[in-house]
Amino acid sequence: MTTEILDVAKIRTDFPILGRSMNGKPLAFLDSAASSQKPNQVVSAITNYYQNHHANVHRGMYTLAAEATELFENTRTKIAQFIGADSTKEIIFTRNATEAINLVAYTWGETNLKAGDEILISVMEHHANLVPWVRVCEKTGATLKTIPIDSDGRLDLSSLDTLLTAKTKLVALSRMSNVLGTINDVAPIFAAAKKLGAVTLVDAAQSAPHIATDVKKLNCDFLVLSAHKMLGPTGVGILYGREELLNAMPPFLAGGEMIDQVTFEKVTYNELPHKFEAGTPDIAGVVAFSAAIDYLNNLGMDAVQRHEHEITSYALAKLGELPWLTIYGPRDSKNRGAAVSFTVEGIHPHDVSQFLDSAGIAVRAGHHCAQPLMKALGTDATTRASFYIYNTNEEVDRLCKALIDLRSFFKL
Ligand code: PMP
C-alpha cells in the first residue's frame, strides 16, 4: 500500500465499505469525484446526533434544542476556518454546491444583471456552474462568454483580454475540473476581473476535498462546495459569500427562519446567515460534516494533496503505457487533481465501465455533467477514474490490468 505520505492502510480501516467485495472481487472504489465514501467517524456523528441530541435548531428555549443548535453552529465555525472566511455570517448552508450556485444566480444574478452585461465561465465547467448562468442570461438578457481550453486541457488564457472587459459582471470558474482534473489558477484571473468591477465565484466542489482552500488567496467573492465529496454526508452544501454582497442580495427561498417581522402586507428578513436558510435544514448532515472536516484537518490538507499527487502521477504513467488509451486533461501531474478521464479505442465508455465493474472496480462513464466540454474534446463520453485518501497504487495496477483484459475480451 502507498503509505509514504498518508497511512492508507490505517485510513482504510475507517471505511468499512472498502472491505466489501463486488462481483466476487475486492472493491476498488475509483469514483470519489462523484461522491466520496464516509469514515466511521462521520457515520457515528450522525447516529450520535439522532440518538442523543436531536431537536429543531434555532427555535427552542429548552436545553436539547440549544444543544442541537450549538452542534449545528459549530460546523459553521469549522467551515469558516477551513476556508479562511472572516465570519460565520458568510457561511450559508445549502443542500449541495448546485443549490449554492443557483442561490447566487437567482438572487445576485437576477438583481444585478441586465442586457449588455456579460458572465464569463470556462468551457470545462460542470453543468452546475453553467446551466444556472444560461438561465439567468435568458431572463436578464445578459450574455454568457467562455474561456476556451488548450490541447492539454488547461485554460487557454490567450484571449482573456478580449473576454474580460468592463461588460463582464461575473466570472465563475471551477478550481478543479471534474473531468480533466485540471487545477485552475483562478486567483490572477479573479484579480483582473475585480479590477474591472466584476464579481467572482469559484466552484470548489472538486478542489475543496483535495487541496487547501483559502477564500482570500483565491480572490473570490463567492465559493461553493458539497460536503458529500469531502467525506461528509449527502444533503449539505456551502455557499461562502462576502458579507457585504450577501447583505445586499435579496433572499432566495422564503418561509420560516429567514424572517424578522412578518405581516400580511410586509416581511422583513433575518440577519446573515439565516436570511438565506429558509426552513428546517439537514441538521444531522451539517453536524456530521464537522466530523469530516476534523478527519481532513487531522490528516492535513497538504498531506492529502501530496498523496493524491503521487497516486495521480502513478496512474498517468501506467495508463500512459497503454497505446490504445486516450487520456484527456493534463499529462503532467503538476497542478492536476486526482481525476483521470480516458477512452479506450474501439470500446464505448459505458462498456468499459461495466467490464471494470465485473472486476470489482467502480469508475464513472458518461458526459460527467459537462456536455459542452465533451464537445470541445471531440467525444460524447469518457471513463473517469478518480482517487482519494483511501486509494492505492495497487488499485491503479488493478485498473490497468482490467483494461488490458477488456481489450482481450473484445478481441482487440
Ligand atoms: N461542480 C463540480 C466541478 C462538480 O464536480 C460537481 C459534482 N459532480 C458539482 C459542481 C455539483 O455538485 P453537487 O452535485 O454536489 O451539487
Side-chain angles (χ1 to χ4, degrees):
M1 283 207 178
T2 42
T3 53
E4 281 162 40
I5 300 160
L6 295 180
D7 188 347
V8 178
K10 182 163 174 289
I11 287 173
R12 286 177 75 92
T13 63
D14 291 328
F15 295 80
I17 200 168
L18 299 176
R20 282 198 60 185
S21 52
M22 278 300 142
N23 304 312
K25 310 278 173 13
L27 169 66
F29 186 74
L30 305 185
D31 194 24
S32 294
S35 195
S36 77
Q37 296 299 344
K38 322 298 170 201
N40 285 334
Q41 289 83 340
V42 168
V43 180
S44 305
I46 296 173
T47 312
N48 178 44
Y49 170 75
Y50 278 126
Q51 285 179 340
N52 298 302
H53 303 290
H54 175 68
N56 210 336
V57 287
H58 300 133
R59 290 165 214 184
M61 292 297 178
Y62 50 91
T63 308
L64 195 59
E67 260 176 44
T69 303
E70 195 184 333
L71 287 168
F72 183 84
E73 290 300 325
N74 280 349
T75 303
R76 204 188 301 273
T77 307
K78 208 164 275 180
I79 294 290
Q81 286 160 355
F82 189 74
I83 66 170
D86 278 338
S87 151
T88 50
K89 290 183 187 168
E90 300 182 318
I91 307 296
I92 314 291
F93 288 116
T94 61
R95 278 188 308 151
N96 47 41
T98 303
E99 187 177 274
I101 296 175
N102 275 275
L103 192 162
V104 179
Y106 277 92
T107 62
W108 182 89
E110 290 188 11
T111 319
N112 290 285
L113 296 169
K114 56 180 190 323
D117 290 343
E118 292 178 359
I119 297 174
L120 183 60
I121 63 169
S122 85
V123 165
M124 68 172 80
E125 298 310 314
H126 185 282
H127 293 164
N129 193 31
L130 192 168
V131 182
W133 307 123
V134 171
R135 294 199 64 205
V136 95
C137 284
E138 282 168 0
K139 285 187 194 164
T140 61
T143 308
L144 192 63
K145 295 271 170 124
T146 52
I147 302 175
I149 53 169
D150 64 19
S151 56
D152 201 31
R154 296 198 187 270
L155 290 180
D156 173 0
L157 299 175
S158 56
S159 51
L160 192 64
D161 284 352
T162 45
L163 287 170
L164 191 59
T165 68
K167 289 184 186 168
T168 315
K169 293 293 175 281
L170 173 76
V171 181
L173 297 172
S174 62
R175 190 171 181 211
M176 178 178 148
S177 160
N178 62 314
V179 176
L180 305 167
T182 316
I183 295 174
N184 295 318
D185 187 11
V186 294
I189 306 173
F190 286 171
K194 285 191 163 181
K195 271 197 192 141
L196 293 164
V199 162
T200 59
L201 178 145
V202 62
D203 173 358
Q206 286 298 335
S207 63
H210 308 285
I211 340 171
T213 305
D214 183 327
V215 291
K216 300 279 169 43
K217 287 190 187 150
L218 287 169
N219 254 332
C220 61
D221 294 308
F222 297 109
L223 177 142
V224 305
L225 57 82
S226 275
H228 72 89
K229 291 186 197 283
M230 44 198 302
L231 309 179
T234 53
V236 180
I238 298 292
L239 169 66
Y240 156 83
R242 272 204 304 113
E243 192 175 340
E244 183 196 343
L245 283 170
L246 290 176
N247 265 327
M249 280 153 54
F252 179 37
L253 301 176
E257 191 69 13
M258 47 76 74
I259 51 83
D260 178 24
Q261 296 296 319
V262 179
T263 65
F264 290 117
E265 292 76 34
K266 187 171 166 49
V267 177
T268 56
Y269 302 115
N270 205 338
E271 293 178 341
L272 290 176
H274 310 294
K275 174 175 129 183
F276 291 106
E277 293 179 359
T280 302
D282 182 348
I283 308 169
V286 167
V287 169
F289 189 19
S290 203
I293 299 295
D294 286 345
Y295 199 97
L296 288 172
N297 280 338
N298 286 340
L299 295 177
M301 289 310 290
D302 281 351
V304 169
Q305 189 180 359
R306 279 190 291 125
H307 166 75
E308 291 177 12
H309 182 257
E310 185 188 274
I311 196 165
T312 307
S313 305
Y314 186 74
L316 288 171
K318 286 288 171 183
L319 291 169
E321 287 170 9
L322 308 175
W324 29 261
L325 189 127
T326 304
I327 296 176
Y328 297 87
R331 295 299 296 271
D332 177 355
S333 57
K334 193 160 171 276
N335 285 332
R336 194 196 196 293
V340 181
S341 282
F342 57 85
T343 48
V344 176
E345 202 179 275
I347 309 173
H348 192 274
H350 288 153
D351 295 329
V352 175
S353 157
Q354 231 167 4
F355 186 88
L356 293 176
D357 183 44
S358 69
I361 302 167
V363 294
R364 188 146 295 241
H367 56 62
H368 311 290
C369 299
Q371 287 179 6
L373 172 60
M374 291 294 126
K375 197 165 169 212
L377 296 173
T379 184
D380 58 355
T382 67
T383 303
R384 180 189 68 195
S386 54
F387 312 106
Y388 206 16
I389 51 171
Y390 34 65
N391 291 120
T392 65
N393 287 359
E394 286 75 9
E395 288 174 316
V396 173
D397 291 338
R398 277 182 59 198
L399 171 68
C400 294
K401 159 123 189 9
L403 289 169
I404 293 165
D405 294 345
L406 163 77
R407 289 276 296 185
S408 313
F409 180 81
F410 275 83
K411 300 197 180 8
L412 290 170

